[in-house]
Amino acid sequence: MSEHILNDISHRRFNQLRGSWVLVSPHRNKRPWQGMQETPKKITLPEHDPECYLCPGNNRAQGQPNPKYDRTFVFVNDYSAVKEEQEEYHPEQKDKSLASRLLRAEAVTGKCYVITFSPSHHLTLADMSPAEILPIIETWTNLYTAHLSPKSPLAQIAAASTVPPLGQDDIDKPNAQYRYMQIFENKGTTMGCSNPHPHGQIWTTTSLPEEPGLELEQLKKYRREQGGAHLLVDYAEIESKEKERTVFENRSFWAGVPYWAVWPFEIMIVSKQHKRALVDFNDKERDELAETIAEITRRYDNLFETQFPYSMGLHQAPLEGTAEEIESSHFHIHFYPPLLRSASVRKYQVGYEMLAEPQRDITPEQAAERLRTCAGELYRKNL
């Protein structure tokens, strides 16, 4: 019964996945809002835009022609954040100097891809059926497999995969073994997306990035301390029983607002069984992952009847790592959306959030309840 008090009082919640805290202030929802309101976009896009760099048959930003693809399409990013070839950097050894103690840098190489989700310019994941999302998951799996270290315990499983091949001959093998692959999507101009054509990105790097690195440390720690148990398996079991933060679930996946969520309508999709990476899934599990993504993205758009912006990303086992790192990893997806009160009022992580710790107003339980009511047909199909 005492847990219900948290709906009315300020309190902190511990993020088991990052080892950090978030401040929850539910009473602040009553404050009047006179700040910035962003105008919802009510734009109708064509199925094919002759000016779009990502549409089939068009030329990209640097002049390369796109094929007339009919499913997903992958290419090396024309403006990659990291590159395979660059000048080598070897920091000078300045033993016992202040500079060597305090000023550190390391070179990072890698390969960045763009993946279009559909040939149709006007669609988003929310518009797509599970069957239309499945080829995206298969493409993610193919690219992960292509970059996986042959020394990884996952390599043998990947070799026996039933995923259809990518079907593109123009994707070269990486020229080095990379450490990590980050698959993500930024949806909407609010999240910095520069092109409305449905697409995501894949960055592979020689380094293990900060966020998955923090999570991996917590996953390893929990497994060591709990006799081999997996943090997110146990967490999904609790959430599936309690239901109050659940938005959608099927046999293979739990999807809901995490107990420690920072963003107002943040969602985490978690595999209920211990699955380390995309290559661990069978055909049925890939189907159910597609179903889960479709359910979450459609509910997002239905919530405020708008093209709901978010950043979404997959966290899974490193491409190359120790046996402990691989086995401790657990597949999950984060959705970080900024909208708070309506299609035009967003949450800003500023002030206290930047200088002290993250803070949220609406509780995760209240957010999950609102999203649960947004099932059904996509709102704009009736417009």
Side-chain angles (χ1 to χ4, degrees):
M1 180 67 86
S2 62
E3 288 293 309
H4 293 294
I5 297 174
L6 297 182
N7 286 326
D8 299 309
I9 67 168
S10 55
H11 61 279
R12 297 169 87 206
R13 298 191 183 192
F14 186 67
N15 184 339
Q16 297 286 351
L17 200 50
R18 294 187 80 257
S20 59
W21 291 87
V22 55
L23 175 64
V24 186
S25 312
H27 55 281
R28 275 168 55 92
N29 266 328
K30 300 173 183 177
R31 66 178 178 143
W33 179 260
Q34 294 181 316
M36 180 178 178
Q37 297 194 24
E38 299 181 13
T39 304
K41 301 294 187 297
K42 299 282 187 180
I43 300 172
T44 302
L45 297 172
E47 185 172 0
H48 183 276
D49 182 351
E51 302 299 321
C52 172
Y53 297 131
L54 300 180
C55 278
N58 292 354
N59 288 339
R60 297 205 300 275
Q62 295 189 357
Q64 302 95 323
N66 294 327
K68 293 185 177 180
Y69 61 92
D70 58 5
R71 283 168 52 105
T72 60
F73 171 56
V74 178
F75 62 90
V76 176
N77 197 321
D78 297 324
Y79 301 96
S80 296
V82 290
K83 296 183 177 181
E84 290 192 286
E85 303 289 346
Q86 65 181 15
E87 186 177 352
E88 290 190 10
Y89 170 71
H90 302 288
E92 296 180 14
Q93 297 298 322
K94 301 177 182 178
D95 295 339
K96 298 182 180 180
S97 69
L98 282 175
S100 62
R101 189 185 311 166
L102 301 177
L103 309 179
R104 293 180 58 190
E106 63 180 21
V108 178
T109 57
K111 200 167 185 177
C112 298
Y113 300 92
V114 174
I115 166 177
T116 61
F117 295 159
S118 167
S120 298
H121 183 76
H122 65 306
L123 298 182
T124 68
L125 289 177
D127 297 284
M128 299 169 72
S129 68
E132 291 171 318
I133 292 174
L134 181 60
I136 301 169
I137 296 169
E138 292 172 343
T139 301
W140 289 340
T141 307
N142 275 314
L143 285 169
Y144 181 86
T145 300
H147 291 75
L148 192 59
S149 170
K151 299 177 183 177
S152 170
L154 294 167
Q156 189 172 357
I157 293 171
S161 174
T162 58
V163 175
L166 185 60
Q168 286 186 229
D169 299 326
D170 56 343
I171 300 297
D172 297 326
K173 286 275 188 181
N175 67 4
Q177 179 56 61
Y178 298 121
R179 178 88 158 99
Y180 196 79
M181 172 178 284
Q182 182 59 62
I183 300 170
F184 65 99
E185 179 201 8
N186 295 324
K187 179 188 174 187
T189 55
T190 301
M191 306 309 292
C193 182
S194 60
N195 190 318
H197 193 107
H199 72 284
Q201 297 186 56
I202 299 174
W203 294 12
T204 59
T205 54
T206 48
S207 58
L208 178 63
E210 194 83 0
E211 284 299 312
L214 285 171
E215 291 186 355
L216 187 51
E217 286 304 311
Q218 291 300 111
L219 294 171
K220 290 192 298 182
K221 180 173 180 284
Y222 187 91
R223 183 166 170 255
R224 286 195 299 264
E225 293 177 352
Q226 303 301 324
H230 294 283
L231 190 158
L232 288 178
V233 172
D234 289 351
Y235 178 70
E237 180 181 344
I238 291 172
E239 292 289 20
S240 186
K241 286 179 181 177
E242 294 196 354
K243 302 296 184 188
E244 61 180 341
R245 286 173 295 275
T246 300
V247 174
F248 174 81
E249 65 179 319
N250 52 31
R251 187 188 65 178
S252 302
F253 295 92
W254 175 85
V257 183
Y259 181 80
W260 50 73
V262 170
W263 294 96
F265 294 97
E266 181 177 327
I267 287 286
M268 185 164 64
I269 297 175
V270 182
S271 172
K272 291 181 177 180
Q273 302 298 318
H274 180 50
K275 303 290 180 176
R276 299 159 293 181
L278 286 161
V279 294
D280 275 335
F281 295 131
N282 60 33
D283 291 344
K284 179 62 176 175
E285 289 162 341
R286 281 188 288 272
D287 287 341
E288 294 193 332
L289 178 57
E291 178 190 32
T292 307
I293 292 172
E295 284 285 342
I296 293 305
T297 53
R298 189 172 69 253
R299 288 164 194 259
Y300 269 165
D301 280 19
N302 284 346
L303 178 63
F304 296 135
E305 296 194 344
T306 190
Q307 296 267 9
F308 204 82
Y310 58 73
S311 280
M312 172 271 280
L314 284 58
H315 282 172
Q316 57 187 325
L319 298 168
E320 181 176 59
T322 66
E324 183 188 20
E325 286 178 335
I326 303 300
E327 189 55 34
S328 298
S329 297
H330 189 92
F331 180 91
H332 59 287
I333 300 177
H334 293 289
F335 282 84
Y336 297 141
L339 296 187
L340 173 59
R341 298 174 183 228
S342 69
S344 62
V345 177
R346 61 171 294 180
K347 168 70 176 178
Y348 293 91
Q349 296 288 347
V350 296
Y352 188 89
E353 291 95 335
M354 294 180 72
L355 299 167
E357 67 185 13
Q359 181 273 341
R360 63 178 291 125
D361 296 343
I362 182 174
T363 67
E365 295 74 25
Q366 292 164 342
E369 183 178 10
R370 293 186 64 180
L371 286 168
R372 278 195 298 270
T373 66
C374 295
E377 190 173 41
L378 186 64
Y379 78 94
R380 55 180 167 269
K381 290 190 176 181
N382 295 318
L383 295 180

